Amino acid sequence: HTHSNIFPYQCTKCGMKFKHSTSMKRHEIIHTGEFPHECNLCGKGFKLKDALRSHLRSHSEERHYKCQHCGAAFKSSGSRSTHMKSVHTTERLYSCSDCTATFKTVGSVRIHWRLKHSNERPYQCSICTKAYKLKYELTRHQKSHEPLNDGENI
């Protein structure tokens, strides 16, 4: 039942579907623009407490989570799990609720859904009003606001 394609809960803002109401409620905060959980080391804000907890590991060099297949080491069990699914398995247990596409990880399904089935653009530039579907697109865009050596923007 864990891998069933039944998603009875749907976000009213973007239409994303969820198996559990708690997952949907956790997701809905992405639409508020709030970042209530702040890292005390770098000041970065997070919408979810779990995201902050995970982020805190990025400040450490410790890698306690080792891959049993290749020995690669990771800062979190989630990173190791994603590695195991994407590198060491061919199973595609996760499927899109709107088409026939299948994926190795639930994260891949979410990215696919946002790119192919949604107009959601959760990554918004704080300098101008442009918004993007993927975080790396925003990061690339933000560089256009950085001054060149002569002090002018690109």
Side-chain angles (χ1 to χ4, degrees), residues 1 5 24 27 30 32 38 43 46 51 54 58 67 85 93 96 103 105 111 114 123 127 132 141 144 150-151:
H1 181 56
N5 289 327
M24 182 185 69
H27 157 84
I30 72 163
T32 68
E38 189 173 304
F46 296 88
S54 179
S58 73
C67 172
K85 288 176 183 175
L93 299 174
C96 178
F103 302 90
T105 66
I111 291 169
R114 187 183 307 141
Y123 302 102
I127 297 169
Y132 298 88
H141 161 77
S144 72
D150 61 4

Side-chain angles (χ1 to χ4, degrees), residues 95-146:
S95 36
C96 178
S97 58
D98 291 340
C99 71
T100 59
T102 58
F103 302 90
K104 293 180 182 181
T105 66
V106 70
S108 297
V109 175
R110 290 207 170 116
I111 291 169
H112 159 83
W113 191 88
R114 187 183 307 141
L115 291 173
K116 302 295 182 187
H117 305 295
S118 167
N119 290 323
E120 179 185 13
R121 294 175 176 267
Y123 302 102
Q124 186 165 7
C125 180
S126 59
I127 297 169
C128 68
T129 59
K130 290 190 176 180
Y132 298 88
K133 289 185 174 194
L134 299 173
K135 189 174 184 177
Y136 89 87
E137 293 174 318
L138 171 62
T139 303
R140 184 180 61 205
H141 161 77
Q142 286 175 323
K143 290 181 178 160
S144 72
H145 294 296
E146 293 176 3

